[in-house]
Amino acid sequence: MSRSIDREILESEAARLLRESYDTLRQRIGRPSTREVQGRDGRIRQVSVEVFWDDAPEGDLRVILAVDDKGWRAFVPRTKGLLVRRPLDHE
C-alpha cells in the first residue's frame, strides 16, 4: 500500500469532514463509520471515521480517521487525528 496515496486519501477525507458543521460531527459520536474509497492507483481502501469528545462532553471534538487496504494493513492502519473546536456561540 502506498504511503503517499494513503496520505492523499486521509487528507481528502479530513477536508471533507471539516466542511461539516460542529453539530453534524457531534451527531457522529458513538457512531463509527466506514466507507470504501478508490485511490489514484485504482486500489480500494477502507476509510474509518470515529468522533469522540476531546476532553469533556459538550466541548471540542476529536475526529480519528484510519485508512487500510482491507488486508494485513487493517491491523496497523494509517491514521490522522483532527480537533474540531466547539463554536463559542454554541448552546
Side-chain angles (χ1 to χ4, degrees):
M1 199 163 64
S2 169
R3 286 182 182 184
S4 64
I5 294 172
D6 294 346
R7 269 190 246 110
E8 287 174 12
I9 290 171
L10 286 172
E11 292 301 324
S12 174
E13 291 296 304
R16 183 180 65 79
L17 287 166
L18 288 173
R19 287 190 294 271
E20 293 186 16
S21 71
Y22 173 89
D23 287 326
T24 299
L25 289 172
R26 184 174 171 249
Q27 291 174 13
R28 290 174 167 253
I29 293 173
R31 298 174 54 209
S33 63
T34 311
R35 69 188 209 116
E36 292 184 343
V37 175
Q38 185 172 8
R40 64 178 157 83
D41 61 355
R43 294 185 60 194
I44 300 296
R45 283 145 172 102
Q46 179 172 273
V47 178
S48 301
V49 176
E50 192 151 2
V51 180
F52 306 89
W53 294 117
D54 183 54
D55 185 35
E58 306 306 323
D60 298 339
L61 303 174
R62 177 68 58 183
V63 181
I64 304 296
L65 298 95
V67 64
D68 68 74
D69 62 1
K70 301 193 312 182
W72 72 268
R73 179 47 84 182
F75 294 104
V76 187
R78 302 208 196 286
T79 61
K80 179 173 182 71
L82 306 171
L83 180 65
V84 178
R85 299 272 183 201
R86 178 178 182 248
L88 295 176
D89 61 350
H90 196 271
E91 301 173 349

